Amino acid sequence: MSSTMRSTAFALSALLALGLSGSASAQQANMTFFVTSAGPGKGADLGGLAGADRISQQLAQAVGAGSHTWHAYLSTQAADGQPAVNARDRIGRGPWQNSKGVTIAKDLDELHGANNLTKQTDLTEKGDVVNGRGDTPNKHDALTGSQPDGKAFPQGEDRTCHNCPSSTQGTAMVGHTDRIGLLDDDASKSWNSSHPSRGPDGGCSQADLRSTGGDGLFYCFAIN
């Protein structure tokens, strides 16, 4: 191959790579839903709703989707004179699409019904598939603190690791990003309300979350 041909081939490759990169960036800029690629590393201690929202915003900003306002899909239970907060009430009205431009739900009813959330569509902000059951390590547990309809649990038994400031005692309800669990039942297939966390540290530490197939990940939605 002559030097001219080599230069032409290199230039074409560079243009193709630039085009693909631009296309991916455009899709991510229009992204309105993702699973966090990483948690804060402190188990279920996300810094409350404000801290989780901040993490969502920072992750989105890093991939060019920071023009949206992002909220974490998390419910909190009534405590210390403060009312409960429902995850479904803080994520906008939809529709929502992942980093590849695939719509996962057109509205709140579809999101909490027959949605398009699967292992292949439950992508991170980077466009990656989250490790699920059968992968090493399994990271499919997503913190939600929510019932299947997206509402908070009533006061009483903790389902939010004390509203996500605890990294030790308590339990948090999690969903499965891959929609697969130990059994062939609705809970195992639930994206947002599969089972409570548990573990030797008390249920909310990073080690506890990892012991049942998690890593402190959670869902983020653009509210605009």
Side-chain angles (χ1 to χ4, degrees), residues 110-202:
E110 187 171 83
L111 179 65
H112 295 93
N115 60 51
N116 187 34
L117 286 170
T118 67
K119 182 177 180 180
Q120 288 69 40
T121 62
D122 251 344
L123 304 178
T124 72
E125 77 280 1
K126 299 177 182 179
D128 297 329
V129 173
V130 179
N131 278 12
R133 185 165 172 76
D135 299 324
T136 303
N138 180 8
K139 298 182 178 182
H140 72 174
D141 286 354
L143 295 163
T144 69
S146 303
Q147 300 184 73
D149 61 0
K151 295 182 179 179
F153 285 89
Q155 279 185 290
E157 193 169 359
D158 182 31
R159 285 292 180 267
T160 61
C161 285
H162 303 292
N163 290 334
C164 288
S166 175
S167 60
T168 53
Q169 299 299 313
T171 60
M173 182 58 69
V174 302
H176 288 162
T177 62
D178 59 355
R179 313 296 295 273
I180 300 173
L182 294 173
L183 302 174
D184 186 23
D185 60 4
D186 290 342
S188 295
K189 297 175 183 177
S190 177
W191 69 278
N192 70 337
S193 196
S194 186
H195 62 84
S197 64
R198 57 187 180 274
D201 292 338

Side-chain angles (χ1 to χ4, degrees), residues 26 35 38 43 46 50 78 81 83 85 90 100 108 114 149 154 157 163 188 200 204 211-212 220 222:
V35 182
L46 305 177
V85 175
R90 59 189 324 273
K100 302 297 185 184
L108 285 167
D149 61 0
E157 193 169 359
N163 290 334
S188 295
C204 299
S211 72
T212 59
C220 300

Side-chain angles (χ1 to χ4, degrees), residues 31-146:
M31 171 181 70
T32 50
F33 160 83
F34 64 88
V35 182
T36 57
S37 57
K42 298 187 291 183
D45 181 2
L46 305 177
L49 294 180
D53 290 346
R54 186 163 51 251
I55 293 169
S56 296
Q57 194 73 44
Q58 290 170 343
L59 292 175
Q61 183 74 39
V63 296
S67 60
H68 297 295
T69 299
W70 292 86
H71 280 181
Y73 182 92
L74 292 170
S75 294
T76 57
Q77 294 171 269
D80 301 323
Q82 297 299 312
V85 175
N86 302 320
R88 65 178 295 140
D89 295 338
R90 59 189 324 273
I91 60 170
R93 297 182 178 180
W96 300 281
Q97 64 182 34
N98 67 16
S99 56
K100 302 297 185 184
V102 177
T103 299
I104 56 99
K106 68 178 184 294
D107 55 32
L108 285 167
D109 288 337
E110 187 171 83
L111 179 65
H112 295 93
N115 60 51
N116 187 34
L117 286 170
T118 67
K119 182 177 180 180
Q120 288 69 40
T121 62
D122 251 344
L123 304 178
T124 72
E125 77 280 1
K126 299 177 182 179
D128 297 329
V129 173
V130 179
N131 278 12
R133 185 165 172 76
D135 299 324
T136 303
N138 180 8
K139 298 182 178 182
H140 72 174
D141 286 354
L143 295 163
T144 69
S146 303

